[in-house]
Amino acid sequence: MDPVIIVGAGPVGLTLSLALARHEVPSVILDESPGKEEQRLARTVVLREDTAALVERLTGFPLDAAGLRWAGWRSMRRKQVMREIRFDGDGTAATEGGTGRPGGAVVPAQKPGGARGSVGAGGYGAAHGPAGAQGPVESGQAPPLHLAQHVLTTVLREAIAREPLARIAVNSRLDALEQEKSGVTAHTRGPEGTWWRGSHLVACDGPRSTVRKLLDIRFPGRTAVERHAVAALRTELPWPGEAVLHRMPPWRTTGPSAGEVTGRPLPDGVWRLDWLLPPGKDLVTPDLLVARIRETLAGWSGGPTPPYELLDTGVHTVHHRLARRWRVGRVFLAGDSAHLLGALGTQGLDEGLRDADNLAWKLALAWHQGPHEALLDSYQAERRAVVAARLRAADQALPLLRGGGGLRSYVPGSARGHDALLTDGHLGRGSLGAPGAYADSPLAPEPSEAAAAVATAPGSPVTDVRVTAEDGSFVRLRDRLGRAVLLVVLIAPGTGVWERKHWVSAGIMPRLAAAVTALPHPAELLVAESYPGAAAHTVLLVRPDGHLVTALSGVRPADLYAAAEATLGGPARTGAQATAGKS
């Protein structure tokens, strides 16, 4: 059978190709470039826990070796620390809150490796604010991973080079496509015009997508929602390894565009600094950018401008757009060709990688087994709804956060509430940043009396827990995802202390194993000691992309089968329910 054609060799297209290969589906990537990545330290990406794990699973490369996981996060307003988060070495948020120390106090700064250094008096490593100010304490979040985009793309390209089911065709710019019931034909221009034949085609060719234009798909939205001046530089800041957001810094001497600055650490002492620009198209001159760099570094250090090496600069413009359709026959849109977002600290690449993870297993089923129209339709229903909700949340928050003051600025607690919204966007949580749930998916099974309550809602990403695999080895649940199989997880306290051979044939295991074997799609049976909110003998059904289908109380073969059938686009919902998630 013909391979899947992927147009575009950015992170989303490369990830999709690797994900398809994990499902034993071949693909060819049409890359209009010569295949060499431009090294730009001012162009970086922030990956959340789930998307970083996806890339690591597909490439086998530990991304910690290529990027930097933040040791902490702090946000400030004028001279006050509004929120401070420290991440433990195991990847969780240990504490959060404003320290409430007066200006000028010396505060230990957490270094990435766990050692502490001191910040000089007068600098903004101290928490400037009234004594006793304290924010809420939170825990349980893994630190974001920050790396240069060209480094991420290089890691993905190297994995593609090792993958026999994937290939990249460089200098291949798409200029025409045709499709019929049996497949897709694409034409590229280059040194030699070439026709490519594929089973399906996925557009990962960015905001100016040629595929989207050839299909005449509308791409409405807002232009230049936010603009940022960007600089990548090597220097020492008072918070080694910690990201910082400073709103309304007291040294604002270069105009209103200096009203918000973000600092994100990279490996080797490099930082990316972003200054929010005012609405309009004013040019950012080199002199103006250098002035901002110097005053920001001096303000944070509490003295003269510390030494720095300027490595790269740029202007980052954020647009908000959403394609009307994400599927036309055998052609799909993913990543920036389908949506643009990124205001208020959110990261558009995260959603593009989630597009690839959602689409890969569905295309694989259609490639291996033939037409699965309801399953393929669910890609648009699920992913477009999630991104639309993210865009709505950002559009609702923007007037509050960028409204320019007024009476809202003096409402008690408003500054802290605004800070919480921005923190959510930057750290990947809440309505602005958390991974979306497919609660209204057309693939959701009918409600069942056998359903059990767990901490994960149906349609949401599962928690990564340790499980026992079929060969008796202990692995992470997330490591078993994306393998062209459903996952069935039994919660069985006490099994972790015994070898698998002692309990695999005892109790409810034989009956559950038989039920798993009888499912309409291959499934792997795993056993976990515990799962958040789950009682003993709870059975979880998990999709290949890591979203929970259902949790059942005990072994319920008929309910398990019905849920698996629905997950594959089977007849488990009425017509009215099947269209509920399509917006």
Side-chain angles (χ1 to χ4, degrees):
M1 190 171 176
D2 295 320
V4 173
I5 299 173
I6 299 171
V7 183
V12 175
L14 296 170
T15 298
L16 176 61
S17 179
L18 290 170
L20 288 170
R22 193 171 170 96
H23 293 289
E24 300 181 353
V25 175
S27 63
V28 58
I29 304 171
L30 305 183
D31 181 6
E32 67 177 47
S33 79
K36 295 182 180 180
E37 294 300 317
E38 181 184 12
Q39 297 189 6
R40 292 291 310 276
L41 287 174
R43 190 178 186 187
T44 65
V45 296
V46 179
L47 300 182
R48 314 305 180 194
E49 181 182 12
D50 62 316
T51 51
L54 170 64
V55 173
E56 290 183 332
R57 184 167 67 247
L58 295 175
T59 62
F61 184 86
L63 288 181
D64 286 11
L68 184 71
R69 293 190 186 272
W70 297 345
W73 163 269
R74 68 176 59 216
S75 57
M76 296 179 286
R77 186 173 185 268
R78 296 191 177 98
K79 295 184 178 182
Q80 181 179 1
V81 171
M82 305 295 293
R83 179 173 264 101
E84 185 175 1
I85 300 172
R86 305 281 189 181
F87 294 113
D88 287 339
D90 62 355
T92 59
T95 59
E96 177 169 342
T99 60
R101 294 182 178 88
V106 177
V107 180
Q110 182 70 45
K111 295 182 179 179
R116 290 182 179 270
S118 295
V119 176
Y124 287 89
H128 293 245
Q134 184 68 37
V137 176
E138 301 179 11
S139 63
Q141 180 180 352
L145 175 73
H146 188 208
L147 70 166
Q149 181 164 318
H150 71 265
V151 173
L152 173 62
T153 306
T154 299
V155 169
L156 291 166
R157 281 184 179 271
E158 290 176 350
I160 291 283
R162 300 188 300 269
E163 176 51 63
L165 289 175
R167 61 170 293 203
I168 301 177
V170 299
N171 297 314
S172 298
R173 181 177 178 82
L174 180 79
D175 60 5
L177 66 87
E178 300 173 358
Q179 61 173 316
E180 60 278 343
K181 290 184 178 180
S182 59
V184 179
T185 304
H187 184 266
T188 56
R189 67 172 185 261
E192 295 182 5
T194 306
W195 287 97
W196 303 83
R197 180 68 179 176
S199 63
H200 301 82
L201 184 145
V202 184
C204 302
D205 50 346
R208 297 179 176 86
S209 171
T210 299
V211 175
R212 192 185 63 241
K213 293 173 182 175
L214 289 173
L215 295 176
D216 196 26
I217 297 175
R218 293 185 59 202
F219 198 38
R222 300 172 61 195
T223 300
V225 176
E226 288 185 348
R227 293 172 66 239
H228 297 262
V230 182
L233 48 89
R234 182 175 284 109
T235 189
E236 290 188 10
L237 292 184
W239 321 279
E242 296 185 17
V244 59
L245 169 67
H246 201 159
R247 304 184 73 204
M248 303 177 69
W251 61 79
R252 292 184 299 166
T253 60
T254 58
S257 57
E260 180 177 306
V261 58
T262 306
R264 303 181 183 94
L266 286 163
D268 302 323
V270 176
W271 291 81
R272 169 174 166 167
L273 303 187
D274 291 59
W275 293 267
L276 179 66
L277 297 172
K281 298 182 179 179
D282 295 341
L283 293 177
V284 180
T285 65
D287 289 344
L288 183 61
L289 185 57
V290 169
R292 298 224 176 103
I293 292 171
R294 294 181 62 83
E295 71 179 13
T296 299
L297 297 183
W300 280 344
S301 301
T305 302
Y308 70 91
E309 178 187 2
L310 185 58
L311 304 173
D312 193 15
T313 62
V315 175
H316 174 54
T317 303
V318 176
H319 309 287
H320 278 181
R321 295 187 179 277
L322 185 64
R324 292 291 191 192
R325 292 180 293 167
W326 290 27
R327 180 191 181 192
V328 178
R330 289 177 172 266
V331 179
F332 300 82
L333 306 184
D336 287 351
S337 68
H339 51 76
L340 294 176
L341 67 162
L344 308 180
T346 59
Q347 294 290 320
L349 180 58
D350 269 322
E351 296 300 348
L353 296 180
R354 290 167 186 150
D355 293 345
D357 200 20
N358 183 289
L359 182 58
W361 69 275
K362 298 172 180 178
L363 277 178
L365 273 173
W367 195 88
H368 286 293
Q369 300 180 8
H372 275 71
E373 293 307 306
L375 185 65
L376 294 177
D377 282 343
S378 73
Y379 166 68
Q380 173 176 315
E382 292 178 344
R383 292 301 306 149
R384 191 176 186 278
V386 164
V387 176
R390 183 72 32 87
L391 287 170
R392 283 194 298 270
D395 286 342
Q396 290 168 0
L398 273 167
L400 297 175
L401 295 167
R402 309 298 191 216
L407 291 176
R408 291 193 191 97
S409 301
Y410 301 96
V411 176
S414 62
R416 191 167 295 279
H418 295 174
D419 173 78
L421 284 172
L422 285 167
T423 297
D424 283 351
H426 282 277
L427 297 187
R429 58 190 192 181
S431 60
L432 286 177
Y438 307 140
D440 296 324
S441 168
L443 304 182
E446 292 279 5
S448 169
E449 294 182 357
V454 298
T456 302
S460 298
V462 293
T463 300
D464 188 28
V465 298
R466 191 181 80 157
V467 295
T468 305
E470 292 181 344
D471 62 1
S473 62
F474 292 113
V475 295
R476 303 302 301 181
L477 176 58
R478 188 174 281 140
D479 292 338
R480 312 306 288 182
L481 299 175
R483 297 171 56 251
V485 297
L486 300 172
L487 300 181
V488 177
V489 185
L490 171 66
I491 312 305
T495 51
V497 300
W498 299 98
E499 290 187 33
R500 185 177 184 273
K501 64 182 181 180
H502 295 306
W503 48 261
V504 69
S505 60
I508 64 174
M509 279 297 294
R511 186 166 177 243
L512 179 58
V516 171
T517 301
L519 291 178
H521 185 71
E524 180 179 13
L525 177 56
L526 305 169
V527 178
E529 277 265 341
S530 62
Y531 187 88
H537 296 171
T538 298
V539 175
L540 310 178
L541 180 62
V542 183
R543 298 175 6 163
D545 58 358
H547 286 254
L548 180 67
V549 177
T550 189
L552 301 173
S553 179
V555 180
R556 307 292 184 103
D559 293 285
L560 187 63
Y561 187 96
E565 188 178 50
T567 303
L568 305 177
R573 290 167 67 94
T574 65
Q577 290 171 319
T579 58
K582 298 182 180 180
S583 60

